[in-house]
Amino acid sequence: MHHHMVEKGGTLTRRQLLGGAAALAATAALAACGSAGAGDGGRDGADSSASGPSKAAASGKTRTLTVFAAASLTESLQQIGRLFERKHKGVTVKFNFDSSGTLCTQIAEGARADVFFSAAEKQMDQLDDGLDGQEGAGMVDHATRVDLLQNKVVLCVPKGNPKGVKSFDGLAKALAAHKVLMAMGNADVPVGQYTQRILAHYGLDEAALAQAGCISYGSNVREVAAQVREASVDCGMVYATDAKAESLAQVDAATDAMCGRVAYPVAALKAAPEHALAVEFVDFLQTGAAAGRFEDAGFTALAKA
């Protein structure tokens, strides 16, 4: 949906536009949130139940911080949430884990949330200042936004590396010669989109390779990882975090030049019921303690306080 919801240069002042067209802005945000942007992990359909100990709300002092976060952050964020609770008496951190596109849509529709942690910049942009010059929903507290983590697309091989795949360069040559079977995500899955960029970087024709029987597809990053683990393929492209979670042998990592940066931005939301706490949590995510948990999961921490 690329057309502008409100034509620029109309008779409305910006104030009237912001007031009167708030619903339009939300509609515009919804339209773009829907397509999950590059970067979401394979557990997009993960259980989005709240985590962490629920403290009895008997005393009026208990506060709940609600964090909407990409599914690929599940394990590391749950650990960080527990650390944050220990430092903030009476605070419970509640998580909603799902694909970034789904979370973006929920926030644009008015879901109660304090923090948004996206696996791609597209969804954060949409709730921040809009894409393609559209008026965005303006729901993100821009001053708190930070690109916190980087994931990498990595080339993995089964145990023993039967086909001797050692690098992206070597893989490109083997694919061109139809000598290797590679697993990749479908075109509608972010990791598949990054893989398509890598194939294009090497001038390889995906459709022709698929027809020649050189590509095996997975409907999410975990399916790709499983094919590599079971050695039903010679190699596969997954995220560094999934390679780590699945204990796969990693032979090469894609550069930004090959497929663009896989960045995870986080921010407090303007309408956060616990805004001050949300800002503290975003700050806490930038500490060494949090960075250690993210790096244990296979992420690269970009922002360290």
Side-chain angles (χ1 to χ4, degrees):
M1 186 173 136
H2 290 294
H3 63 277
H4 295 267
M5 298 302 295
V6 178
E7 284 297 326
K8 295 267 191 284
T11 51
L12 286 175
T13 63
R14 181 168 171 78
R15 181 163 302 192
Q16 287 168 319
L17 194 148
L18 289 178
L24 281 179
T27 312
L30 277 178
C33 293
S35 58
D40 277 320
R43 283 150 300 183
D44 288 0
D47 173 18
S48 42
S49 60
S51 74
S54 59
K55 298 181 179 64
S59 84
K61 286 180 188 166
T62 58
R63 294 188 291 165
T64 300
L65 180 74
T66 307
V67 179
F68 278 39
S72 49
L73 295 161
T74 304
E75 291 83 1
S76 48
L77 265 190
Q78 283 174 332
Q79 293 172 357
I80 290 165
R82 286 193 283 275
L83 291 177
F84 187 78
E85 286 173 344
R86 270 186 228 135
K87 290 182 181 293
H88 297 77
K89 291 282 172 278
V91 169
T92 301
V93 183
K94 193 173 120 196
F95 292 103
N96 176 22
F97 293 108
D98 212 321
S99 77
S100 302
T102 301
L103 297 173
C104 170
T105 301
Q106 290 171 351
I107 293 167
E109 284 175 346
R112 179 193 164 96
D114 297 297
V115 174
F116 181 37
F117 201 159
S118 176
E121 290 169 279
K122 179 185 169 186
Q123 285 76 21
M124 185 67 79
D125 288 345
Q126 190 50 42
L127 295 176
D128 191 352
D129 46 19
L131 288 177
D132 301 325
Q134 281 182 356
E135 277 294 318
M139 292 180 162
V140 169
D141 180 350
H142 188 80
T144 67
R145 178 176 171 168
V146 60
D147 277 347
L148 194 71
L149 303 176
Q150 184 168 5
N151 213 334
K152 291 271 188 199
V153 176
V154 296
L155 178 58
C156 292
V157 295
K159 216 173 184 172
N161 194 3
K163 284 282 173 85
V165 178
K166 294 189 171 65
S167 66
F168 280 111
D169 290 356
L171 169 64
K173 290 190 183 84
L175 280 171
H178 295 178
K179 287 183 175 165
V180 70
L181 175 59
M182 174 192 81
M184 66 177 276
N186 291 339
D188 62 340
V189 181
V191 76
Q193 293 159 9
Y194 285 117
T195 305
Q196 286 180 323
R197 288 186 205 168
I198 293 167
L199 292 174
H201 173 81
Y202 284 104
L204 294 164
D205 181 338
E206 183 193 346
L209 288 173
Q211 210 166 357
C214 296
I215 296 180
S216 167
Y217 290 93
S219 64
N220 61 45
V221 70
R222 285 297 163 102
E223 276 186 22
V224 177
Q227 291 180 37
V228 176
R229 197 179 54 244
E230 292 153 12
S232 59
V233 293
D234 301 315
C235 61
M237 294 199 206
V238 299
Y239 293 120
T241 49
D242 293 288
K244 190 144 191 174
E246 304 276 341
S247 304
L248 297 178
Q250 212 173 297
V251 294
D252 203 357
T255 61
D256 292 1
M258 287 182 195
C259 65
R261 192 168 78 146
V262 188
Y264 284 52
V266 65
L269 294 163
K270 278 185 193 164
E274 292 284 356
H275 191 272
L277 203 55
V279 173
E280 280 185 58
F281 187 72
V282 171
D283 286 343
F284 185 67
L285 292 177
Q286 295 169 63
T287 60
R293 294 297 189 286
F294 288 130
E295 287 178 345
D296 285 348
F299 289 103
T300 304
L302 295 172
K304 285 186 205 172

